[in-house]
């Protein structure tokens, strides 16, 4: 059974919506994660995570209000953000040492910012963010060319040795945006590393085209490492387009890509329908096809629902000043 | 005080969000509008509307559940949709005759479809849809050209004699999508009528680029005709781009446009910041500037919130098969 475009969105934006008229909230059962001096929840933890985590004195767990409050024991108000980062780092180190969560893979990972932290950047390691249900940022670049036959898109096949989504189809270039990095800087770097694209070409011609958002619910069937169930994974994906001439050839620049294909739109759509793409890269491709007039309102019965769902309003702050 | 891009979104997407943790729902106080054999609410009516409406026997009002149910007294199941359309038409005729609602302007208007009606198209007149809080569809086309200095956009000034938003700046071409029409057909027609653009040019080169959604809350300050307060106005705006050469000149084709200007991006942004644009056309322009890399994540602090808000997930069905 081929996947519809909406099926591809459902695979990614899998956390239930609270629908109207009001019902039991999908958030019930989760603990909310709170930062100092900020009433806005930044993430959600499962009860299982709260029970297993080797909490330090920097965290106050309240089972009656179902909250996890980060309140570093020793902190200077002027230095609160770095105290929070240290507190999280100490906690994750302890969790890695005690081998508590398979999803941590027994090792440290890159620092990701907690979005909307009110007093400067607070970081948490990438592998740990799912345990706290914190929002992560990615940047995706779609490289395409116009031929006499229409659009053609550069589609990589991921290496069979990759930890996540081995051998799947993917966005031309993609990466996680780390603390202190902006999405464009990230994509310029990744384009050189993954696709051997000259920095100058990308910096001059890649076009910022928007940001997608969705909220995942991790279950075992979904895979991706770790046996944890019910983890919440809100994501932002900043999307960029780069039109190149037919003379430009993409070549793998590192061992993450097995090969690059230059595919026409019909071949790309077949890859989507067969479920061949990495889950969130499928959504990025559907957005690309909508922005380029390939997926259209006259022929896609789920057009409006797809557009709304791939720009989900997250229930967590995405900027320091955002009022939820 | 110049308006930020987020201010422009707030002007349009003004109905409150139900935020987490759950609180008193913004929907409380409204009556939901229900179609036969469909549990999904299609719209919201204020108590004032429910009290004043000269209801016919085709409608069942339940004050305990706060619902307005359309159940045409005489109907053949095979012909349910047209019975519903007739029931609404009879009701609106009565309301016009009794001069109950200023927003009806004492006259009939074009048929708009009730989106997601399960058994074929049910129509309601355009002026009446706000009374029921039903979702309306518009189509907007932005015509632009690339010069050596960058993008330039064709911006019309609305006629000073127009009923709504006289003398405001606007999207190049825009119109409401009526029953039985698709957004592209609408925009091809409007482009010829409003901007004297040849049908063949638009049909061949206009590109479908997505759909925006927001939910308005009509208050007196907002204007737009009629003294009714608290009406809910969910909208879908299908967006199209058309790139033309510098030799193409736009000229008003009817009396709705006073003049067309070819403006560079900075002039357009000044018009937005000064609040010079029609409310929803400002949102369409912000989306255009985001898709074209002018409004960017590195420099727009509200980038993510804007993207999420201009694709609001409406709490009403947008297709017959949508599960809310």
């Amino acid at each position: 059974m081929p996947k519809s475009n909406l099926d591809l969105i459902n695979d990614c934006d899998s956390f239930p919506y609270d629908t109207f008229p009001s019902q039991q909230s999908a958030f019930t059962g989760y603990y909310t994660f709170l930062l100092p001096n900020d009433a806005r929840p930044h993430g959600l933890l499962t009860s299982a995570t709260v029970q297993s985590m080797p909490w330090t004195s920097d965290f106050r767990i309240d089972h009656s209000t179902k909250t996890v409050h980060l309140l570093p024991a020793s902190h200077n108000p002027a230095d609160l953000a770095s105290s929070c980062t240290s507190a999280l780092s100490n906690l994750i180190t302890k969790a890695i040492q005690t081998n508590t969560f398979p999803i941590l893979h027994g090792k440290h990972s890159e620092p990701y910012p907690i979005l909307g932290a009110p007093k400067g950047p607070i970081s948490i390691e990438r592998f740990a963010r799912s345990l706290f249900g914190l929002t992560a940022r990615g940047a995706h670049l779609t490289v395409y060319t116009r031929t006499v036959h229409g659009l053609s898109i550069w589609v990589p096949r991921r290496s069979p040795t990759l930890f996540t989504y081995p051998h799947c189809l993917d966005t031309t270039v993609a990466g996680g945006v780390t603390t202190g990095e902006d999405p464009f800087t990230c994509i310029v770097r990744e384009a050189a590393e993954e696709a051997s694209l000259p920095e100058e070409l990308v910096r001059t011609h890649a076009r910022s085209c928007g940001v997608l958002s969705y909220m995942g619910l991790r279950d075992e069937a979904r895979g991706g490492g770790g046996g944890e169930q019910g983890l919440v994974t809100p994501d932002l994906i900043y999307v960029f387009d780069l039109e190149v001439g037919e003379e430009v050839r993409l070549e793998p620049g590192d061992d993450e890509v097995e090969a690059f294909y230059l595919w026409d739109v019909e071949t790309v759509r077949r890859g989507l329908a067969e479920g061949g793409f990495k889950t969130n890269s499928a959504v990025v491709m559907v957005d690309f096809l909508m922005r380029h007039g390939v997926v259209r309102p006259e022929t896609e019965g789920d057009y409006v629902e797809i557009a709304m769902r791939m720009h989900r309003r997250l229930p967590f702050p995405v900027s320091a000043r955002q009022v939820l």
Side-chain angles (χ1 to χ4, degrees), chain A:
Chain A
M1 177 83 173
K3 281 181 188 275
S4 72
N5 288 323
L6 184 59
D7 290 335
L8 298 168
I9 309 299
N10 286 334
D11 287 346
C12 218
D13 186 41
S14 49
F15 194 85
Y17 282 80
D18 282 358
T19 51
F20 162 76
S22 56
Q23 57 181 25
Q24 170 95 333
S25 169
F27 298 114
T28 309
Y30 287 94
Y31 284 66
T32 56
F33 179 64
L34 297 166
L35 296 178
N37 312 320
D38 191 355
R40 306 168 305 171
H42 286 264
L44 296 175
L45 300 92
T46 65
S47 299
T49 301
V50 173
Q51 275 182 10
S52 306
M53 186 70 76
W55 297 111
T56 66
S57 61
D58 293 323
F59 297 84
R60 192 178 68 207
I61 318 302
D62 186 328
H63 296 289
S64 62
T65 58
K66 299 197 105 169
T67 52
V68 173
H69 217 125
L70 171 53
L71 294 165
S74 62
H75 73 267
N76 171 347
D79 203 30
L80 187 58
S82 66
S83 301
C84 288
T85 299
S86 300
L88 284 163
S89 175
N90 294 339
L91 177 69
I92 302 310
T93 298
K94 209 170 151 193
I96 289 173
Q97 284 164 356
T98 54
N99 207 5
T100 315
F101 299 106
I103 204 174
L104 295 177
H105 308 313
K107 59 182 178 187
H108 291 286
S109 47
E110 312 92 283
Y112 273 16
I114 297 183
L115 300 185
K119 304 279 178 192
I122 301 175
S123 289
I124 186 166
E125 298 180 21
R126 178 163 68 94
F127 291 160
R129 74 96 182 187
S130 305
L131 293 172
F132 288 80
L134 292 163
T135 305
R137 299 181 303 165
H140 283 230
L141 172 70
T142 304
V143 182
Y144 67 102
T145 188
R146 284 179 213 273
T147 73
V148 287
H149 306 294
L151 280 184
S152 285
I153 300 165
W154 282 99
V155 177
R157 186 173 292 286
R158 294 164 66 86
S159 161
T161 62
L162 276 181
F163 193 73
T164 55
Y165 302 96
H167 214 66
C168 281
L169 303 170
D170 207 344
T171 312
T172 321
V173 172
V177 184
T178 57
T179 299
E181 199 175 41
D182 69 52
F184 190 62
T185 307
C186 168
I187 213 66
V188 170
R189 174 174 54 71
E190 295 279 353
E193 287 174 15
E194 293 184 358
S196 318
L197 281 165
E199 176 173 332
E200 190 52 30
L201 174 76
V202 179
R203 199 171 282 288
T204 311
H205 295 291
R207 181 166 97 176
S208 167
C209 294
V211 59
L212 309 179
S213 44
Y214 56 84
M215 194 150 102
L217 175 64
R218 183 187 285 263
D219 62 26
E220 207 154 74
R222 200 165 299 274
E228 292 83 0
Q229 299 272 324
L231 300 187
V232 182
T233 51
D235 280 331
L236 302 179
I237 308 283
Y238 295 83
V239 293
F240 299 87
D241 284 1
L242 173 60
E243 182 175 347
V244 295
E246 288 189 71
E247 75 289 354
V248 175
R249 314 303 301 175
L250 269 66
E251 300 294 342
D254 60 19
D255 54 4
E256 292 189 19
V257 175
E258 185 179 311
F260 278 106
Y261 313 119
L262 183 60
W263 277 353
D264 63 20
V265 162
E266 279 319 303
T267 309
V268 169
R269 295 192 81 161
R270 208 175 314 127
L272 289 170
E274 289 167 356
F277 277 80
K278 176 168 178 275
T279 316
N280 65 359
S281 302
V283 174
V284 170
M285 187 58 78
V286 171
D287 169 63
F288 179 90
L289 297 177
M290 285 179 80
R291 289 187 292 101
H292 287 266
V294 177
V295 171
R296 303 172 62 89
E298 308 92 278
T299 46
E300 171 55 81
D302 302 311
Y303 192 80
V304 179
E305 188 177 357
I306 289 169
M308 298 186 306
R309 294 279 303 281
M310 60 166 58
H311 297 93
R312 181 169 186 160
R313 180 174 177 265
L314 303 179
F316 313 114
V318 291
S319 72
R321 64 188 176 207
Q322 187 187 0
V323 180
L324 279 187

